Amino acid sequence: MKKLINEVDDVILESLDGFVAANHRTHQKVNGVNGVIRKAENNKKVSIVLGGGSGHEPVFLGLVGEGMADGAALGSVFASPDPQTILEVIKSAYTDEGTLCLVINYAGDTMNFGMASELAGYEDLKVETALVTDDVASAPKGQEDERRGVAGLLFITKVTGAAAEKGYSLAKVKQIAEKANRLTRTMGIALTPCSLPGSKPNFTIGEDEYEFGMGIHGEPGIKTKKLKAADEIVTEIVEGLVDDLDLQGGDEVAVLVNSTGATTILELNIVFRQVANLLKKQNIHIYDTNIGSFCTSLEMAGVSISIMKLDNELKSLYNEPAYTPYFYRKGNA
């Protein structure tokens, strides 16, 4: 598979170097490890640290910025960062108020963030963890704690980062993160596989098929189906999200239509058109929409849809301004 790289072993470091060079006024690399933090002078707020495997850009480093996360630890492609990398990012982003780690619920990530938090404790650093478990397809209703974390991380980081900026305590910031996670759901499909740098495609999908509920690393979905019209696929996804969130008429939501890498804006707009139609029919009000590539799987073609149910508290935090190189919100007028 063709990719614009130099040496396979240098992909992560060179990509990170390019990101930091492009954003040197606002971001800096963490010494000695593959991590990035934002340049900030406020040492009186809880810092937010996240991280995970590379290949999902702009997640994770692209969520680091004003009103969002303060640092990101990066692993190899589709692999968790090691505990030492995470620890160094925590220490570099640490403030007097402590650190909250937002961790997507994959075995390697939870294990390594857990070890890093324990190591931080030995240095008398206050570190808490909140898990992201928004992927409806990865475990049935009633077993939400077993679900994977995927594109809904964008929404959860948005409101959690806002809570930190407003000066909330570490305990309160964690509470906001957990609440946002409870009210966020994602489901996606894959049309084509992806390939790790230097490798062949890591799974196969038939020319006339799509994978319903595919994971962001190529984990098998709920089932393989025959390709059909976009409106039919979107209807199945949205009905699943609405049911899982127990949305009712009059509810207010934020929506994310996310390309997994190769899917075009032209297609994403077609997807959102049907999302809007379906929610309108149920009198579910879309407060805000984000369309684009936010949590990808290298060059995989596919789409995920995320919905976060808003209450007054989350809506207020969502309205706070935010800026990263890949996500911008002006704030409530």
Side-chain angles (χ1 to χ4, degrees):
M1 301 293 290
K2 298 177 182 177
K3 296 188 187 295
L4 286 172
I5 63 173
N6 295 306
E7 299 297 327
V8 171
D9 292 342
D10 298 332
V11 166
I12 310 307
L13 180 57
E14 290 183 352
S15 178
L16 178 56
D17 284 347
F19 173 85
V20 173
N23 300 285
H24 61 90
R25 291 181 298 173
T26 54
H27 294 69
Q28 66 186 59
K29 187 178 181 298
V30 177
N31 289 334
V33 299
N34 288 333
V36 64
I37 59 172
R38 74 181 181 108
K39 296 178 179 178
E41 298 178 357
N42 184 2
N43 199 40
K44 299 299 182 182
K45 64 173 284 295
V46 172
S47 61
I48 309 296
V49 168
L50 40 74
S54 299
H56 303 301
E57 289 76 18
V59 165
F60 297 89
L61 81 175
L63 297 184
V64 175
E66 180 182 347
M68 299 285 280
D70 298 282
L74 306 178
S76 299
V77 175
F78 293 180
S80 171
D82 61 79
Q84 191 61 40
T85 294
I86 298 168
L87 177 63
E88 292 304 317
V89 173
I90 290 172
K91 290 166 66 175
S92 296
Y94 192 76
T95 72
D96 296 342
E97 302 303 316
T99 295
L100 178 71
C101 294
L102 289 178
V103 183
I104 58 172
N105 193 31
Y106 288 88
D109 294 284
T110 56
M111 179 180 67
N112 289 350
F113 268 90
M115 293 175 64
S117 297
E118 186 175 349
L119 292 171
Y122 294 148
E123 300 188 34
D124 294 325
L125 304 181
K126 297 179 293 184
V127 179
E128 294 286 346
T129 297
L131 292 180
V132 176
T133 59
D134 58 305
D135 185 6
V136 171
S138 55
K141 196 169 185 178
Q143 300 177 30
E144 288 85 356
D145 290 348
E146 299 178 20
R147 289 175 173 173
R148 304 176 293 223
V150 285
L153 175 65
L154 174 72
F155 286 151
I156 296 163
T157 305
K158 173 66 195 74
V159 297
T160 305
E165 291 285 352
K166 290 176 75 68
Y168 290 10
S169 69
L170 180 56
K172 180 61 175 177
V173 170
K174 179 177 179 178
Q175 180 185 345
I176 292 294
E178 291 174 340
K179 178 181 183 178
N181 181 64
R182 289 195 303 271
L183 295 178
T184 302
R185 299 289 189 278
T186 300
M187 189 178 292
I189 61 109
L191 302 174
T192 68
C194 58
S195 61
L196 275 63
S199 301
K200 296 179 179 180
N202 59 347
F203 58 92
T204 59
I205 300 177
E207 287 292 324
D208 61 343
E209 296 177 334
Y210 71 99
E211 191 78 10
F212 187 83
M214 173 71 75
I216 59 174
H217 306 110
E219 299 93 342
I222 297 172
K223 60 182 69 174
T224 301
K225 298 188 173 188
K226 292 295 182 182
L227 190 61
K228 50 192 176 185
D231 282 359
E232 296 180 61
I233 295 174
V234 173
T235 297
E236 186 173 11
I237 294 174
V238 171
E239 287 179 348
L241 296 175
V242 168
D243 176 71
D244 206 87
L245 260 178
D246 294 322
L247 293 177
Q248 306 294 323
D251 285 341
E252 200 164 27
V253 299
V255 174
L256 168 64
V257 176
N258 171 65
S259 167
T260 56
T263 305
T264 63
I265 294 293
L266 182 146
E267 296 164 271
L268 298 182
N269 285 334
I270 293 172
V271 169
F272 178 70
R273 166 187 167 274
Q274 179 67 350
V275 174
N277 288 338
L278 293 168
L279 295 182
K280 183 177 181 180
K281 287 179 181 178
Q282 299 185 60
N283 194 32
I284 298 168
H285 176 62
I286 299 176
Y287 179 70
D288 192 52
T289 302
N290 299 273
I291 298 174
S293 297
F294 294 97
C295 181
T296 64
S297 300
L298 296 169
E299 78 278 23
M300 182 191 293
V303 65
S304 68
I305 300 171
S306 302
I307 294 177
M308 180 172 68
K309 181 180 177 180
L310 297 170
D311 62 9
N312 290 336
E313 182 177 43
L314 292 184
K315 184 176 177 180
S316 176
L317 292 169
Y318 187 85
N319 279 335
E320 291 295 315
Y323 169 79
T324 83
Y326 301 102
F327 178 79
Y328 171 76
R329 183 166 180 83
K330 184 177 180 180
N332 194 25

